[in-house]
Amino acid sequence: MTRTDGYLLDNRRSEAAERFDAFATLFDPTTFRHLEALGVGPGWRCWEAGAGGTSVVSWLAKRVGPTGRVVATDIDTSRLAPAGRPPVEVHRHDVGAEEPPGDGFDLVHARLLLVHVPDRDRALRSMIRALRPGGRLLVEDADPALQPLSCPDEHGPEQRLANRLRQGFRGLLAERGADLSYGRRLPRLLREAGLRRVEADAFFPVASDACAALESATVRHVRDELVAAGAATDEDIERHLANVASGTMDLATAPMISAWGRKP
């Protein structure tokens, strides 16, 4: 993910590493499946926008090989340093405010990025502009409004507390400009931007160890903001974290919608 002045989930916090690990476990198989289907291979020039962590960047580097190029950008590159060796180039970059870090890319990919970018329309245009004719765009973003609950099966007080904290978290995101229903619009936005052969699908994790790890890291990351906003007390948060750690809760994440298309 990228980070703006109002971004809630700072990459420099210790919980960010836990969140990136959970995202990789949850979503890398879906992302890699789509990238493989798009044909990423030796010699490709790729831009990974708002890379955040290294899992996708490292996968791309292996696929494109020494004759390829992977430009990994983020407004905070602190977590990208381990990947910064050929064919990977790491650059600090604000996708919603700056020109693309090059052009003629065979692939541009962004995951869980645009929902947080204030000028997401400009960012999407920038990503498309950076593609060569025939280049592929893959954008993957969450849609928390499509499934807003932490526990879709709200059958007890533990689940009700989890859903109340998730509601508070969503409120914090919205206050900072996140578009909580952005994911569902991606196919239309890609078509309206002139891309061809646009398709999309969604992945909705309902219960897993990675979902629990993501929940714990996220709540710990924003606990001060939740308390300050009156969405929870410290006691609520401690009780919820203990419930998560018990391993008895089915914790879901928002659906991630993947949309892809080709530049004419």
Side-chain angles (χ1 to χ4, degrees):
M1 290 189 194
T2 198
R3 175 180 163 273
T4 70
D5 289 341
Y7 184 46
L8 185 63
L9 298 162
D10 191 331
N11 288 358
R12 293 168 293 186
R13 289 276 299 274
S14 60
E15 293 89 354
E18 299 175 56
R19 286 172 48 80
F20 288 141
D21 287 345
F23 285 139
T25 300
L26 288 167
F27 298 124
D28 277 1
T30 296
T31 296
F32 297 163
R33 173 171 58 85
H34 289 311
L35 292 173
E36 287 178 347
L38 291 175
V40 178
W44 274 47
R45 297 156 296 172
C46 306
W47 173 19
E48 180 68 14
T54 62
S55 65
V56 177
V57 173
S58 297
W59 187 93
L60 287 171
K62 291 178 182 178
R63 293 290 292 211
V64 306
T67 62
R69 181 186 182 211
V70 179
V71 178
T73 65
D74 202 296
I75 200 167
D76 179 353
T77 59
S78 57
R79 304 274 175 194
L80 285 171
R85 56 185 179 273
V88 176
E89 304 169 17
V90 174
H91 299 287
R92 188 183 184 282
H93 178 262
D94 186 341
V95 69
E98 299 178 311
E99 291 299 304
D103 56 20
F105 289 105
D106 300 291
L107 168 79
V108 176
H109 172 245
R111 185 172 77 186
L112 304 176
L113 167 68
L114 295 183
V115 65
H116 297 287
V117 175
D119 196 347
R120 56 188 62 87
D121 292 338
R122 175 177 175 174
L124 184 60
R125 291 194 301 269
S126 175
M127 292 162 63
I128 294 172
R129 189 165 66 253
L131 288 168
R132 67 165 176 82
R136 283 80 159 174
L137 176 70
L138 172 62
V139 181
E140 302 180 295
D141 245 310
D143 195 313
L146 193 62
Q147 196 296 107
L149 302 177
S150 180
C151 296
D153 180 19
E154 190 182 78
H155 69 278
E158 296 88 354
Q159 289 73 25
R160 287 191 289 274
L161 174 59
N163 287 340
R164 178 159 61 85
L165 295 184
R166 179 65 61 86
Q167 181 181 6
F169 174 57
R170 291 174 60 237
L172 293 173
L173 289 173
E175 288 174 2
R176 286 158 174 77
D179 184 343
L180 302 182
S181 58
Y182 187 69
R184 73 191 73 179
R185 293 200 286 274
L186 285 172
R188 172 174 59 81
L189 294 174
L190 266 57
R191 284 195 306 273
E192 290 177 351
L195 296 189
R196 306 284 178 80
R197 299 171 64 180
V198 172
E199 298 183 52
D201 64 14
F203 175 60
F204 173 28
V206 175
S208 73
D209 289 344
C211 287
L214 179 61
E215 176 73 9
S216 176
T218 301
V219 170
R220 285 184 281 113
H221 199 146
V222 302
R223 68 178 299 158
D224 291 345
E225 290 83 358
L226 287 169
V227 172
T233 64
D234 281 314
E235 292 76 16
D236 289 334
I237 291 171
E238 289 301 323
R239 186 164 70 254
H240 176 60
L241 291 174
N243 292 338
V244 174
S246 73
T248 60
M249 301 183 71
D250 294 326
L251 293 155
T253 70
M256 183 180 76
I257 297 177
S258 304
W260 59 94
R262 182 175 299 203
K263 186 174 181 178

